[in-house]
Amino acid sequence: MRSLFEPRAIAVIGASGNPEKIGYRIVENIVRSGYGGGVFPINPRGGEILGLKAYADLSDVEEEIDVAVIVIPAGAVLSAVEACGAARVKHLVVITSGFSEVGDLETERRIVRTAREHGMRVLGPNIFGIYSAASSLDATFGPGGITPGPVAIITQSGALGIAMIGKTATESVGLSALVSVGNKSDVDEADLLEYLASDERTRAILMYVEGVKDGERLQGTLAEVTRHKPVVVIKAGRSKRGSMAAASHTGSLAGADEVFDSVMRQAGVLRAESVQEAFSWVRYLASTPLPPGDEAVIVTNGGGIGVMATDACEKHGVLLYDDQAVLADTFSGVMPDFGSSKNPVDLTGQATAEDYARSLDAVLAEGRMHAAIALYCETALFDTGRFADLLRDVYARYRDRKPIVFSLFGGERIDAVIRDLRGEGIPVFGDVYEAVSALGALYRVRRRIREAPEEAEPIDLPIDEIRAVLRGARDGGRAFLLAPEAARVAAHLGLDMPRSIVARNLDEAVGAAGEIGYPVVMKIVSKDIVHKSDAGGVALDLENEEEIVDAYQAILRSCRAHVPDAAIEGVEVVEMVRSGVETIVGARQDPSFGPVVMFGLGGIYVEVMKDVSFRAAPIGRSTARAMISDLRSYPLLLGVRGESRKDIDAIAAVVSKLSHLIDRCREIADIEVNPLIVYDHGEGTRTVDMRILIKQPKGGERT
Ligand code: ACO
């Protein structure tokens, strides 16, 4: 990737002398940005473009070209790619639209194939170009005037990306790189991240993503990059999708966005809700030292704004320093008697600019206080101009030592101060939530950088034996496992399933119940009925023969009414499992991220409660434990109202096993343990039901 960002020479195929054409604007930006390498406009007419000699054909250029920007109509691109291959170009930046985004996947694939045959990589097509501060190169058709700086942007949206150029200027965000990835026919975010991770100019990375192609690779790359540099992502499209939604709970809960969100969090990526928030984070993250510890101090001249900041700190995971004696000692000489040294430190409405300076210096000097949040509501006691100087002064002292955020609230004069200071790179915000959210992002980055990577746990699964069971179902032309097959897989996984016997008629059901011992559960066995409870195909806690008879008839009646054409093979009589907390563990092949695992509470109510979390698989037990603790209802597992703690380690073991299974057996489409009943700590779990869906072989393919 280095030669894409730092090319020695660049050709523009489709360069034009007509200022209304993109091919003109790109040459103009390259020239204006101060790029020091060779620039070779290619145009059949030859002549001169913007003072540069234009070549009628790429083969006329004698110098070695690292990057060819292609900006000619779609129909001519493939032959230009061939010409680039012959000229031993390294990278193609294909601006042209009109390929897979309008349905022409075939030509796009041919372009990539041809490029790869010649050892070239393709950025795009359907992009606005690339800017790289490393070589002062603006090869985009944006408005120009990009300020170099520490933030790299990768964007899938062209229009938004171009607009970001102007926005970075008004938001005082300096760029190390700006890359448009468009259709991602070849080069994708993961390729670019590998370069940006090692680029010293880049201190924070912002990605705008619409769809993910090779999610497994992206996740792996991000997980690595975020251990050194912050990555912020904005993703559009929170809408639900799911081709397998109807077939499983995991499927219907694994909306594209839920999985994206969890996987990004797992990879240590910060997800911003809006472009504004993303800009505010990257600007701050790229310019601020990591806090030396967890505890922050709020200094304010208004109680209300202090309370708002306190709320925001709780929301964004910023801890407030709480040793009252130290606080009183630190701030007693700095504020009036009627102020408060409790954190928020309230200097009161009569605070002067000097009071602020002294308080913030006190935070800076106190080793136990690790970051400052300075809030100011406009009052008549301040000379705004002098206040701005004072903030400059305070910031200069803080900038390399501790994080600080300023939030100023007031009228026109305050807005002007915010604009000026921001332009100078000082972290000043108009809104207190925005200020604390930036500091919260910095704390998350700190936690990520300090967190030890999960140790790989060897996990021994009898994959060959499990595959043999799956093959049996596939050979039978089924895309799912029958209950006894699923039970065999469960046994191979070491999951504790209740005893069960399949009965083909009422007599057999009565006999089976006698053999297993009352109480028992009875469930319908039919390949046409996936959600048994919904079809009335389950009866619980049957105590005697009479109840077996009644339940048997009721189940058959209800299932026939629910799914009239269902082929019913009988009923399964199962040992009644004692009650506990009902949970669900699922795993599936996600269309974007590959194997993912899910955990949730609620058993059959999981879809109502929607309290689930996901991770990219495989994961070890410690990640599984973190995933379990993500749930809103996690306190139920810790034990509430005198109940004892549940066996969280046993759940983590099941989650981890399923994650390894879905990773290693890619022929499994979806697997679900529901419910997984969890007992008190040390008493383990029981798998009441397990369903497995497998991928159907395509045209006789076997895995
Ligand atoms: N080699 C060299 N030069 C060539 C070749 C060739 N094989 N073929 C044509 N040219 C020249 C043309 O003669 C012309 O030069 P001229 O002005 O001197 O005559 C120049 O290349 C451009 O060719 P045109 O036919 O004039 O094409 P035009 O500039 O109208 O359009 C473009 C080309 C911009 C690539 C268009 O096809 C296109 O795809 N536009 C959309 C681009 C886009 O939006 N990309 C996504 C960006 S992200 C976003 O959404 C903002």
Side-chain angles (χ1 to χ4, degrees):
M1 283 294 121
R2 185 162 299 280
S3 46
L4 173 63
F5 287 88
E6 300 167 33
R8 285 163 306 172
I10 183 164
V12 180
I13 301 176
S16 168
N18 178 350
E20 288 183 1
K21 294 203 179 172
I22 293 183
Y24 175 91
R25 292 289 162 198
I26 289 184
V27 178
E28 185 186 40
N29 275 340
I30 295 174
V31 171
R32 279 199 189 160
S33 55
Y35 172 62
V39 184
F40 300 93
I42 313 294
N43 182 295
R45 287 185 237 269
E48 257 193 23
I49 293 173
L50 284 146
L52 297 167
K53 173 177 162 50
Y55 293 76
D57 201 285
L58 187 63
S59 60
D60 299 339
V61 178
E62 281 174 9
E63 212 166 312
E64 263 184 46
I65 304 286
D66 284 337
V67 170
V69 179
I70 298 183
V71 61
I72 52 177
V77 171
L78 189 58
S79 59
V81 171
E82 276 158 4
C84 289
R88 309 176 72 81
V89 169
K90 294 196 177 80
H91 290 275
L92 304 175
V93 172
V94 186
I95 306 287
T96 310
S97 303
F99 299 101
S100 65
E101 83 282 6
V102 293
D104 185 4
L105 187 59
E106 180 49 33
T107 311
E108 192 170 296
R109 284 199 176 133
R110 284 177 67 192
I111 289 171
V112 175
R113 237 184 355 254
T114 308
R116 287 305 198 105
E117 278 162 16
H118 290 91
M120 298 185 289
R121 300 295 308 268
V122 182
L123 181 66
N126 189 29
I127 60 175
F128 65 77
I130 177 168
Y131 164 78
S132 166
S135 47
S136 293
L137 170 67
D138 179 357
T140 73
F141 61 95
I146 299 175
T147 314
V151 174
I153 300 180
I154 302 173
T155 171
Q156 197 173 350
S157 159
L160 194 67
I162 288 207
M164 277 186 189
I165 296 178
K167 191 74 181 158
T168 54
T170 57
E171 292 285 320
S172 311
V173 175
L175 296 182
S176 59
L178 171 62
V179 192
S180 167
V181 287
N183 297 359
K184 296 195 265 195
S185 66
D186 176 26
V187 171
D188 64 8
E189 290 92 345
D191 296 305
L192 301 167
L193 283 165
E194 278 168 14
Y195 169 82
L196 295 171
S198 64
D199 173 41
E200 279 175 14
R201 283 179 184 76
T202 301
R203 295 191 57 192
I205 300 165
L206 167 58
M207 298 200 305
Y208 170 85
V209 178
E210 277 167 6
V212 175
K213 277 189 174 168
D214 185 356
E216 263 187 278
R217 177 160 169 254
L218 179 63
Q219 201 266 349
T221 308
L222 283 169
E224 194 47 45
V225 175
T226 54
R227 297 205 177 277
H228 313 283
K229 286 184 188 181
V231 180
V232 173
V233 68
I234 318 168
K235 169 151 185 311
R238 284 187 176 266
S239 56
K240 298 245 180 230
R241 180 219 43 78
S243 52
M244 284 187 271
S248 84
H249 292 290
T250 320
S252 64
L253 289 160
D257 197 66
E258 283 77 3
V259 174
F260 181 87
D261 208 67
S262 304
V263 172
M264 287 298 120
R265 219 157 355 108
Q266 182 182 0
V269 174
L270 308 177
R271 182 167 183 188
E273 288 291 322
S274 64
V275 178
Q276 188 64 40
E277 185 172 59
F279 271 40
S280 144
W281 286 355
V282 285
R283 189 178 49 223
Y284 190 59
L285 298 173
S287 62
T288 307
L290 287 178
D294 283 330
E295 291 167 276
V297 176
I298 300 171
V299 176
T300 179
N301 70 341
I305 198 167
V307 175
M308 279 161 68
T310 308
D311 290 349
C313 283
E314 194 173 304
K315 179 170 176 211
H316 294 288
V318 176
L319 292 183
L320 291 179
Y321 184 75
D322 203 28
D323 187 325
Q324 296 306 320
V326 176
L327 284 164
D329 201 40
T330 308
F331 297 104
S332 58
V334 202
M335 66 188 162
D337 294 343
F338 46 89
S340 164
S341 68
K342 294 197 174 105
N343 194 1
V345 176
D346 188 351
L347 304 178
T348 79
Q350 83 172 37
T352 62
E354 287 69 27
D355 293 336
Y356 268 93
R358 272 182 297 165
S359 314
L360 293 170
D361 282 344
V363 176
L364 191 61
E366 173 51 72
R368 286 166 288 191
M369 301 173 188
H370 307 123
I373 301 165
L375 313 175
Y376 168 66
C377 290
E378 187 176 23
T379 70
L381 297 182
F382 277 84
D383 168 340
T384 320
R386 226 157 57 76
F387 185 50
D389 284 340
L390 190 128
L391 295 189
R392 283 187 186 98
D393 214 44
V394 169
Y395 180 66
R397 288 196 288 282
Y398 263 84
R399 61 175 308 156
D400 295 322
R401 295 167 61 193
K402 281 183 190 176
I404 186 164
V405 283
F406 300 98
S407 168
L408 315 184
F409 189 70
E412 249 175 57
R413 284 181 312 174
I414 288 291
D415 285 348
V417 170
I418 293 176
R419 256 194 321 277
D420 290 351
L421 295 180
R422 231 183 225 191
E424 296 165 31
I426 300 174
V428 184
F429 301 85
D431 179 65
V432 62
Y433 282 95
E434 209 191 322
V436 176
S437 132
L439 187 61
L442 186 70
Y443 268 102
R444 281 194 276 159
V445 170
R446 176 177 188 266
R447 284 194 281 273
R448 172 67 183 175
I449 286 174
R450 292 165 65 90
E451 140 194 307
E454 188 180 62
E455 304 246 330
E457 277 172 44
I459 183 154
D460 199 15
L461 295 179
I463 293 294
D464 291 344
E465 287 85 338
I466 293 173
R467 283 226 159 98
V469 181
L470 302 176
R471 237 182 345 260
R474 275 181 117 173
D475 290 347
R478 276 177 284 120
F480 61 92
L481 267 60
L482 294 173
E485 292 168 332
R488 285 218 296 286
V489 174
H492 285 308
L493 290 173
L495 302 184
D496 189 4
M497 280 192 89
R499 259 196 91 194
S500 109
I501 297 172
V502 174
R504 277 161 305 176
N505 53 45
L506 181 55
D507 282 349
E508 283 186 17
V510 172
E515 201 177 321
I516 289 169
Y518 291 99
V520 293
V521 174
M522 218 155 50
K523 300 180 202 171
I524 193 76
V525 179
S526 166
K527 65 177 167 45
D528 302 315
I529 301 173
V530 178
H531 294 302
K532 301 184 187 102
S533 298
D534 295 351
V538 180
L540 302 174
D541 210 4
L542 307 173
E543 301 265 8
N544 50 45
E545 189 174 329
E546 209 167 83
E547 288 186 14
I548 292 275
V549 174
D550 290 348
Y552 184 88
Q553 283 157 357
I555 284 177
L556 257 60
R557 219 174 17 251
S558 170
C559 286
R560 287 207 173 106
H562 217 85
V563 190
D565 299 329
I568 292 170
E569 287 135 60
V571 293
E572 189 189 359
V573 182
V574 194
E575 171 195 347
M576 174 84 190
V577 171
R578 85 186 150 89
S579 62
V581 176
E582 292 203 358
T583 66
I584 172 171
V585 184
R588 73 193 302 256
Q589 308 295 346
D590 180 79
S592 298
F593 288 97
V596 294
V597 62
M598 179 194 86
F599 173 72
L601 237 79
I604 59 169
Y605 300 115
V606 66
E607 292 206 35
V608 181
M609 293 168 66
K610 290 197 168 48
D611 192 9
V612 292
S613 63
F614 293 88
R615 290 291 185 279
I619 56 170
R621 289 182 197 207
S622 62
T623 303
R625 274 190 291 270
M627 176 181 175
I628 295 164
S629 70
D630 275 356
L631 296 196
R632 288 192 308 278
S633 42
Y634 179 57
L636 286 180
L637 295 173
L638 291 176
V640 283
R641 308 180 71 111
E643 284 180 355
S644 47
R645 180 190 161 94
K646 305 297 169 227
D647 205 333
I648 294 166
D649 291 342
I651 308 174
V654 176
V655 171
S656 172
K657 274 184 192 169
L658 249 58
S659 80
H660 281 270
L661 178 65
I662 198 79
D663 176 49
R664 292 175 61 189
C665 286
R666 301 283 171 121
E667 63 267 45
I668 297 180
D670 193 302
I671 177 165
E672 191 168 287
V673 172
N674 184 24
L676 176 80
I677 303 221
V678 185
Y679 300 112
D680 288 353
H681 183 63
E683 294 178 12
T685 61
R686 300 246 10 217
T687 296
V688 176
D689 197 7
M690 178 154 104
R691 287 184 324 93
I692 300 178
L693 303 179
I694 48 181
K695 289 186 192 159
Q696 281 292 35
K698 283 184 215 129
E701 161 233 350
R702 284 272 173 91
T703 45

